[in-house]
Amino acid sequence: MKEKLAKIEKVNPVHSDDRGVITDVLNENIGHVGLITFAKGAIRGKHYHHQSTQYDYVLSGKLKLIVCLPDGSERQDYTLEPGMGSEVAPGIVHTYLALEESTMIDMTTLGRKGDGYEADTVRVDLPFTII
């Protein structure tokens, strides 16, 4: 079996009582946090980062995460639903297809100020169909 290109996990609460629930979404050093929305059928990503690790946490909806190597090989597909998190290392292409209207928190280890994001991002024309 080939090695997984992304880490996918259900993020469980760390504390719950009559006041509500506390969930530690991530325990990493982060340079950027963003909120991304998707219309049903929307495709985002189709890129990789030179240095930044990307972490995502799904708040609502359902997304297909497709990861692969920059040449399009080693494709792996994952379905992400609310409460699930993903981790994509530098050098791994990541693409999202919204299976329904969705919202996720996007976190990266590098900031997006100035040209930092663009300098770290490599867009890829994938040699396969997303859907």
Side-chain angles (χ1 to χ4, degrees):
M1 183 174 162
K2 58 186 167 184
E3 183 177 332
K4 288 188 175 189
L5 298 179
K7 179 180 176 186
I8 309 298
E9 66 182 356
K10 174 72 173 161
V11 181
N12 294 311
V14 295
H15 179 78
S16 178
D17 61 25
D18 60 349
R19 298 170 293 171
V21 174
I22 297 173
T23 301
D24 292 343
V25 174
L26 188 67
N27 286 301
E28 301 291 338
N29 293 322
I30 296 298
H32 169 262
V33 176
L35 182 69
I36 300 176
T37 63
F38 297 79
K40 182 178 179 178
I43 297 171
R44 293 187 180 272
K46 292 173 52 173
H47 65 253
Y48 67 91
H49 302 286
H50 289 293
Q51 298 178 11
S52 188
T53 298
Q54 182 166 322
Y55 303 93
D56 295 308
Y57 179 77
V58 179
L59 296 171
S60 65
K62 186 183 290 187
L63 299 165
K64 179 192 281 188
L65 168 61
I66 301 132
V67 293
C68 63
L69 297 179
D71 66 1
S73 66
E74 303 292 325
R75 176 181 172 160
Q76 298 171 11
D77 294 19
Y78 302 93
T79 300
L80 304 177
E81 297 181 349
M84 294 181 76
S86 64
E87 176 183 339
V88 180
I92 302 298
V93 177
H94 45 285
T95 302
Y96 301 87
L97 168 64
L99 301 175
E100 55 191 56
E101 191 173 293
S102 302
T103 303
M104 75 178 186
I105 298 173
D106 175 64
M107 301 158 279
T108 56
T109 54
L110 295 179
R112 290 180 61 118
K113 288 186 178 180
D115 67 352
Y117 178 79
E118 290 303 323
D120 187 51
T121 301
V122 179
R123 286 169 180 69
V124 176
D125 288 323
L126 297 173
F128 52 77
T129 304
I130 299 300
I131 300 173

